[in-house]
Amino acid sequence: MSVNKNYMVFSGTATKYLAEKICQSLGCPLGKLQITKFSDGEFAVSYEESIRGRDIFLVQSTFPNSDNLMELLLMIDGIAKTSLVCPLEQSWLPTC
């Protein structure tokens, strides 16, 4: 069976372990992403490899604080700036 590996999985800082397990299950490496936190509370996100022409999956929790949500939004913004069509689908998993 031929599997199309034209996708990449990236993780924010809150869900690195989960993303590694997802990648292990899919048989693909975790994408290289640099998230820099500055002393004034700002964030910068940069993709360390080419994402053009790929399907991108972002794994990031939005709980418990707004920093996680901001990381996710900046990761989405980085994808959008590569001139890709970016349909957004959110999957919500309940947490206790």
Side-chain angles (χ1 to χ4, degrees):
M1 177 165 76
S2 175
V3 177
N4 182 6
K5 298 264 181 157
N6 198 27
Y7 58 85
M8 299 178 84
V9 179
F10 292 92
S11 172
T13 56
T15 54
K16 186 76 73 178
Y17 178 76
L18 175 61
E20 288 170 351
K21 290 297 185 183
I22 290 170
C23 287
Q24 183 181 17
S25 176
L26 293 173
C28 70
L30 184 62
K32 295 181 179 96
L33 177 72
Q34 178 73 30
I35 299 176
T36 307
K37 295 182 182 182
F38 298 103
S39 61
D40 63 353
E42 298 284 326
F43 294 94
V45 173
S46 61
Y47 291 89
E48 301 291 314
E49 51 193 308
S50 176
I51 58 174
R52 191 169 295 277
R54 300 274 186 104
D55 293 329
I56 305 299
F57 295 91
L58 302 174
V59 181
Q60 173 69 339
S61 172
T62 57
F63 182 81
N65 59 28
S66 62
D67 290 348
N68 294 337
L69 177 61
M70 185 54 98
E71 276 185 24
L72 177 61
L73 293 173
L74 288 174
M75 291 188 310
I76 293 169
D77 183 57
I79 293 171
K81 286 182 179 178
T82 62
S83 303
L84 297 175
V85 176
C86 186
L88 180 63
E89 178 181 328
Q90 291 182 327
S91 297
W92 297 96
L93 297 176
T95 57
C96 295

